[in-house]
Every structure is written in structure tokens, then in C-alpha cells.
Amino acid sequence: MSGEGNASARGKEPPAGAALLAAADTGVVVLDADGRVVWSNDAATRYLGVDATTVGGLTAEVFAEQVAPRLADGEGFVDAVSEGGVDGPNRELHVVDGAEDRWLERRTHPIEDGEYAGGRVECYVDVSDQKHALDRLDRRERTLRAVHDILLDRSRDLDDRLDELLDVAGRMLGADHAAFARFGDGRVLVENVISSVDAAVAPGHAIDTSETIAGVVSGRDALVHADDAAERWPDRHPVGVAGDAGLDYYVGVPVAVEGEQYGVLSFADAAPKQGGLDWELTLLDITANSLGHELANSIREDRAEEQLQQARREFESLVQDVEDYAIFRLDPDGHVESWNRGAEEIKGYEERDIVGEHVRTFHTEADREIGYADELLDRARERGRAVDTGWRVRADGSRIWVNAVITALHDDDGELQGFLKVTRDMTERRAREKQLEHERERLEFVNRIIRHNLLNGMNVVEARANILEGHVDDDVAPHLATIQERVEDMTDLIETMRTFMKAIVEGEEHESQPVALDDVLDDELAKADRAYDDATFEHDELPDVPVLADDLLPEVFENLLTNAVQHNEGPTARVRVETEVGDDEVVVRVLDDGPGIDEAVMAHVFEKGQKGFESPGTGFGLYLVHEIVDSYGGRVEATNRERGGAAFTVGLPRP
């Protein structure tokens, strides 16, 4: 075959420029005005699996039918090629029958002049690398979300969460064996195991630290990663495995609690892994750190329970008028003997209705079935005190979240006389604290990922793109400029998010203070006017009035103005800003003349990652607006206007 590619069986000359196209990585198929194949190059043969020497002269439909069996959607490909449209949207093709899984992007261009005028050129670009990279990003996002949800789900037992965490992390690393073990007295105690390895042991197994690779992790006090573990440490084996199981691949990361080594997360497999695992290992390191915090919380709770002092004997006379606490005495078997005003208020029972009833009366049906009330009494008998936080049932059947302390009462001879129970209604406080704690920890987790991964990654992309500047031809230069511009935009967005989350999480420089609203609006309107040539921005006289905010306020209006322009489908966008000064707040409305907000996304428009109606943005702009305004004690709403378009209303408190 010559460098001119494959000519038609009808003897026509190859198209102009064929010498260059013949060796190109882009698959090229040329069709004449009758819709017949007249030329194709080697890349087309390689990608599409057709015999280049025989396709010449075939109609577009027959050509497509030969290619179709190799594709995941062969029927769709035949329809697209047979229709013969040009300048249409790009179409991805998934090649499933071949030496390797491949993704192609099909592009169709008309031939305007020359021998084949009226025909078209079919181009097939290999985008497999980009497609696989997106798949990897998707898997990473799902893993990150799963790890985040497991670590912050305080409603579940930590031991159950550890099992799930090992499963998720093991699948992320491609390891068949995963275990968590605790260090102590020169031994490693296995506490959790998720494994398909025959030699795996059950939780509770203990072994000398020197016989496990966990000892290496402990000695280095850092993550250990090896593809030749059996050869490197022939006298040691992974935690949770009895003896030599031929597990060459190993990852171990230490878990510290309050600055001290506590245990180790271990993962192992028989086969070494292909490709880099930098992102996965970084996430595993962060996961171990977060797990250490969870273990510290659990240990502190147990410690607090054990260190509680024993209460004195009955003191009904001292607590009878207390209304914030239910304080009452139980006999040695757990029956109510006394009742105070707080107990009546919290539990809903009058004294005559509850005295003589067993304490299990206040427990949920599920707790009664497992005998949880008796378990708490037994714990108080053995330890002197039992502390519990959980759901209880009031007289009317409603549930309340309480903190309860049961203290064993003994006489001078040490004989059990009964129990004193003090209960506090924590329902409202629990809901408030749970929401605040969840949001704060989520921001801390995301902020850590932004610092360690996203920003560093964007800096690398920016540096590499700058190196290419001046070394690309005129056709590629606009694409490079677009990359540089988008990298700069994303870096600015990441910096904004870091500033915002630092203010929320760390509480630094985020105290609201008087800010001149007219200056902020004037600056942002001017910036938007310069940025969008085809948009018109209108406003009445801006009010000379301060609002309670901080230096993030410009971000609010920059995002709202940008949102108004980007969601306009017409050739021009018209945006109007209206203000209204009230006694307690100043209202700013950003109105556009676009298509409005789809009712399907209206309720979720301020949620993170919500783009809405084919938005070109990141999906974080409106979420950022909501979070900033909410931190000021303000409000933000989205509605559709009767005359068309969307309206975003921001209410900012006055000093």
C-alpha cells in the first residue's frame, strides 16, 4: 500500500492532501456526491475494522453496515451515516469488537469544491484516552462520596461503618483482602476483616506485631505501598491473614488517635496493580486521618461514661420542682417509685399513672424487644452508673431524644437499694447539633480535598499549558488559549471556595460588618458589562445604604449576573437589577429575560452540583450564593417572572 492511502475501486484519483491524511491518526473516509466511498486511510481501517481495499465504491449505507457489528450501537451508526447529514453534532462510537475497547468521535464535513464536490468527508477521531479518564474521574467521585457518607454517618455503629469502609476502600484499590487492626502490648488485634482470601482470620485474632507487615507500617508511621510484599518481607504477612497466602500486593496506612498510634488499615491482593494509584493512596491517607477522629470521639464517650461519679441517695425533696430534668427513683427491679415535675413535663405521665410501672415503659418497641432497659439497669449495677442517649416514648406515643443517667443507690453495707434516673430532653438540641456538625465536617472534608488535590492539579495543568504557549501552530493556538482561560477561571473558583470554606470552617475573618451595597453593585455591574458584549445591564439609582456582609459579597452578585446572561437563549441578554430598602433588610432582585427556570429543578436550584437547564457553569455558583447569603443571616429565593425570565431575590440584613 502506498503512502497515498486506499483509492476507490473505480479508479478515481485520491483527494487532494491524501498523502498527509494517509498517515494521520484520524480515520478518514471520503464519499462522493452519489454517497459512495472513494477513499479511506489506514487509520479508518484500524479503527473501523473494514477492509480498505474493498470499501471503495460501496454506498454509505453498505459501508456503515459492514462497520456496525463492531459497535455497541451499530443500528444508530447505520442510520447516522446513511442520512448523510453534514455539520451536525459530533457522535461518539463505542467499538466493542476489536483488540481493545475503543471510543471514536465521528465528525462529518461537506466537500465544497473539486472532483468530489457535493460529497462529504467522514472523520473518526480516537477519544479513548479522554473517555477512560472521565470514567476514572466518575469512579473516584463515587468512591469519595461513599467514604464521606460512611465516616459522617453517626447514626450507625462505628464497627459497622468500619466494615463498609474496608469494603469501599478495598474495591478502590482492587484488593481482595482488607482489615483493620489495633496495636497493643507488642501485638496486633484484628477487629474488622472483609476478605475473600482462604487464609483470612476472624475478628479477635491476635498476633505479634513483628510477624505482620503492620509492624513495618508502625515503625515508619507512614503509608506503606508495595507490589512485592512477599519478597520484601518474607517473614511477615498482612494483618488478618494466617501465614503465607501469596499476597504480593500490599497497602497499609497507620491510624492515629489523639496523636498516638492506634491501629492500621491493611489491604492485600495476589496480583500487583497496573498504573499509578496516587489519588487512591492520597484518599486512603485522608480516610485514615478521619477514621482516627471518629475513633477518638468513640473513646472519649466511653471514657466519659466510665468516669462518671456515683450519685448520692434519694434527693426527691431537692429536685421536686426541677422542670428541665426528669428525676425519679426506681426500685432494684426497675419499677418507678417517685416522680418529679420535670418527669411529668418531659415524659407526659402524671405520677398516679406511672408509679409502679417498669422503666421499660419509656423505651421504644424495638428496645423493649431486645430488653434494652434491663441491660442499662445491669450496667448500672455492675459499674455504678449507666449513661445512655437515644429515643424514648412519651405518654402520647410521640418520640423524644434524651440523655439519661441511671445511678445505682447502695446502703452503707453496699446493698443495692434501687436506682436514681435523671433524664434530659435533647430532641431540639440533637437536631440542631447534628445538622451543624454534619455541615462543618463535610466542609472540612471537601476543603481538604480542594487543598490537596484540585488546586495542585490545576496548577500543574496551568504550568504545562504555559509551556506549550508559542510552540503550537495557528490551528491549535485558539484551543490552547481556551484551556488557559478555563484553567484560570477554575483556579479562581477554587480559590473562592477555599476562602469561603475557610471562613465557615475556621471562623476566620467572617464576622459580618457594614458593607456599602451601592459600591459592590456598581463594581459588579461594570465588570459584567465589560465581560458580556451582547448583554445589556439596567438598574435604577443604587441605594447608599450599608448591609451586614463581608468581602465575599461581590461573589454573590457576580454569580447572579453571570447566571442571568449564561441562561439566556436569545442573541442578546437583558438583565435588570432592582433594589428595595426596608427597615430590617435591603432586597436586591436580579431579573433576566431568558427562558426561566425549569419547574423540575426549581426546588433544587441552590443545591451544590445543580446546573439546571443545560447550564455551561460548574453547578456551584448558585450553591455558593446561597451559602454566603445564609452565613450573613440573609435569604435568597428563585422564581419565574410572569412576563418570562427568572428572578433571583436576595435579602441582606441591615446593621
Side-chain angles (χ1 to χ4, degrees):
M1 186 181 300
S2 71
E4 294 295 321
N6 305 302
S8 164
R10 294 186 295 173
K12 291 188 176 182
E13 291 297 321
L20 293 176
L21 296 177
D25 286 336
T26 298
V28 179
V29 178
V30 179
L31 295 92
D32 61 17
D34 296 327
R36 293 183 177 276
V37 177
V38 295
W39 188 86
S40 64
N41 68 352
D42 292 340
T45 300
R46 189 166 64 252
Y47 294 162
L48 303 178
V50 294
D51 187 347
T53 62
T54 61
V55 295
L58 296 181
T59 65
E61 182 175 2
V62 174
F63 163 73
E65 288 173 348
Q66 289 190 9
V67 176
R70 294 172 53 85
L71 306 179
D73 182 17
E75 184 177 342
F77 176 73
V78 172
D79 291 343
V81 173
S82 300
E83 289 172 0
V86 294
D87 290 336
N90 297 335
R91 177 185 177 88
E92 284 189 346
L93 308 177
H94 189 189
V95 181
V96 294
D97 180 21
E100 58 181 334
D101 189 57
R102 189 188 299 274
W103 287 87
L104 302 174
E105 186 177 86
R106 172 179 171 261
R107 304 172 182 173
T108 306
H109 306 281
I111 300 175
E112 303 290 350
D113 49 33
E115 181 181 359
Y116 302 118
R120 70 180 191 268
V121 178
E122 296 269 342
C123 297
Y124 299 88
V125 181
D126 189 345
V127 294
S128 303
D129 289 344
Q130 299 94 308
K131 190 72 174 178
H132 295 156
L134 289 174
D135 289 342
R136 287 195 299 272
L137 286 174
D138 181 63
R139 288 195 299 271
R140 289 176 177 180
E141 181 183 355
R142 284 187 275 110
T143 301
L144 177 61
R145 187 180 298 113
V147 170
H148 167 272
D149 291 343
I150 293 168
L151 287 172
L152 296 186
D153 186 4
R154 299 285 179 79
S155 65
R156 298 169 53 201
D157 183 76
L158 181 57
D159 193 61
D160 292 338
R161 288 188 284 153
L162 256 170
D163 283 341
E164 188 174 352
L165 189 65
L166 289 174
D167 181 55
V168 170
R171 284 187 280 110
M172 174 185 73
L173 297 171
D176 287 339
H177 177 82
F180 172 68
R182 178 165 49 86
F183 295 128
D185 297 328
R187 295 169 68 79
V188 179
L189 176 64
V190 177
E191 294 194 346
N192 302 78
V193 178
I194 301 294
S195 179
S196 60
V197 176
D198 292 338
V201 301
H205 180 81
I207 189 172
D208 288 346
T209 306
S210 61
E211 298 179 20
T212 72
I213 307 178
V216 178
V217 178
S218 175
R220 297 182 183 180
D221 196 20
L223 185 146
V224 171
H225 175 219
D227 286 332
D228 56 351
E231 179 181 348
R232 187 177 299 186
W233 302 292
D235 298 327
R236 297 175 182 260
H237 50 81
V239 166
V241 177
D244 182 13
L247 300 176
D248 287 330
Y249 173 66
Y250 177 82
V251 177
V253 59
V255 177
V257 173
E258 296 181 343
E260 299 292 333
Q261 280 193 5
Y262 181 87
V264 61
L265 289 168
S266 292
F267 304 88
D269 197 79
K273 305 306 165 191
Q274 301 297 323
L277 289 173
D278 290 347
W279 184 90
E280 288 81 357
L281 297 180
T282 297
L283 177 58
L284 187 60
D285 222 350
I286 295 172
T287 299
N289 185 51
S290 299
L291 176 60
H293 289 300
E294 291 298 300
L295 289 166
N297 290 335
S298 177
I299 292 170
R300 279 194 294 269
E301 290 175 2
D302 292 341
R303 224 178 258 161
E305 182 177 335
E306 294 171 359
Q307 293 174 353
L308 287 174
Q309 301 177 358
Q310 291 188 349
R312 296 290 183 181
R313 296 188 180 185
E314 7 176 350
F315 55 97
E316 285 87 353
S317 60
L318 299 177
V319 300
Q320 185 59 40
D321 292 331
V322 175
E323 296 183 356
D324 292 337
Y325 294 85
I327 304 175
F328 52 96
R329 195 176 70 176
L330 307 173
D331 69 19
D333 294 322
H335 297 91
V336 177
E337 288 189 333
S338 69
W339 202 242
N340 80 325
R341 188 174 301 170
E344 181 175 341
E345 184 71 23
I346 293 174
K347 302 288 189 180
Y349 292 92
E350 294 186 6
E351 185 174 5
R352 64 176 180 271
D353 297 325
I354 196 62
V355 170
E357 297 295 328
H358 197 274
V359 70
R360 70 174 65 94
T361 303
F362 312 125
H363 284 254
T364 63
E365 183 66 29
D367 283 351
R368 287 199 293 270
E369 289 179 359
I370 64 175
Y372 190 58
D374 292 323
E375 180 183 331
L376 290 175
L377 294 176
D378 290 340
R379 192 186 306 170
R381 289 189 186 96
E382 296 171 4
R383 304 180 185 179
R385 171 171 292 197
V387 180
D388 181 61
T389 301
W391 292 111
R392 297 292 187 271
V393 181
R394 300 181 80 249
D396 61 3
S398 60
R399 301 206 309 172
I400 56 174
W401 183 265
V402 305
N403 172 259
V405 179
I406 303 175
T407 303
L409 302 175
H410 299 87
D411 60 19
D412 293 337
D413 296 327
E415 195 72 26
L416 180 68
Q417 298 298 299
F419 304 90
L420 183 70
K421 185 170 184 179
V422 180
T423 300
R424 184 181 182 187
D425 186 355
M426 305 285 286
T427 307
E428 293 184 4
R429 179 177 173 181
R430 175 182 185 265
R432 197 163 54 245
E433 291 179 347
K434 196 173 184 67
Q435 180 182 7
L436 290 174
E437 182 181 20
H438 179 72
E439 290 300 324
R440 183 179 182 85
E441 291 180 344
R442 181 169 60 181
L443 286 174
E444 289 175 339
F445 192 88
V446 174
N447 199 24
R448 197 177 302 123
I449 294 298
I450 288 176
R451 289 198 310 269
H452 288 283
N453 296 83
L454 293 183
L455 190 56
N456 289 343
M458 294 306 297
N459 288 337
V460 171
V461 174
E462 182 180 26
R464 296 299 174 87
N466 290 341
I467 292 174
L468 293 176
E469 191 172 7
H471 298 282
V472 297
D473 58 32
D474 292 340
D475 291 335
V476 177
H479 300 293
L480 178 59
T482 299
I483 292 173
Q484 291 173 311
E485 180 181 356
R486 293 303 296 152
V487 167
E488 183 178 356
D489 290 343
M490 291 303 295
T491 302
D492 289 343
L493 176 62
I494 292 171
E495 289 291 354
T496 298
M497 292 301 295
R498 288 182 66 200
T499 301
F500 172 67
M501 286 191 288
K502 180 179 180 182
I504 295 299
V505 174
E506 302 177 8
E508 294 179 8
E509 301 176 2
H510 199 69
E511 292 186 4
S512 296
Q513 57 188 359
V515 175
L517 179 61
D518 56 339
D519 290 344
V520 173
L521 287 174
D522 188 64
D523 288 345
E524 293 306 314
L525 283 165
K527 285 169 54 179
D529 189 59
R530 291 193 299 269
Y532 299 101
D533 294 334
D534 296 327
T536 302
F537 297 90
E538 303 173 350
H539 63 86
D540 296 327
E541 182 177 354
L542 301 176
D544 181 12
V545 60
V547 295
L548 283 176
D550 62 9
D551 56 2
L552 292 176
L553 184 59
E555 294 285 342
V556 172
F557 298 110
E558 178 184 358
N559 277 287
L560 291 179
L561 293 172
T562 299
N563 183 74
V565 175
Q566 290 182 344
H567 289 148
N568 196 302
E569 298 175 345
T572 62
R574 184 177 180 181
V575 183
R576 180 171 179 79
V577 176
E578 298 179 350
T579 57
E580 178 181 344
V581 179
D583 294 335
D584 299 320
E585 70 171 5
V586 179
V587 175
V588 180
R589 295 184 181 88
V590 179
L591 314 173
D592 64 57
D593 62 345
I597 305 172
D598 190 331
E599 293 298 330
V601 302
M602 177 71 79
H604 310 287
V605 72
F606 291 108
E607 294 179 3
K608 69 177 185 298
Q610 178 59 249
K611 290 187 178 183
F613 34 99
E614 301 301 323
S615 167
T618 64
F620 276 92
L622 295 180
Y623 173 71
L624 184 61
V625 167
H626 179 273
E627 293 300 310
I628 293 176
V629 174
D630 186 67
S631 72
Y632 300 155
R635 61 186 178 89
V636 59
E637 301 169 354
T639 57
N640 283 323
R641 305 170 64 191
E642 292 183 2
R643 292 177 294 176
F648 286 84
T649 302
V650 178
L652 297 170
R654 296 186 62 178

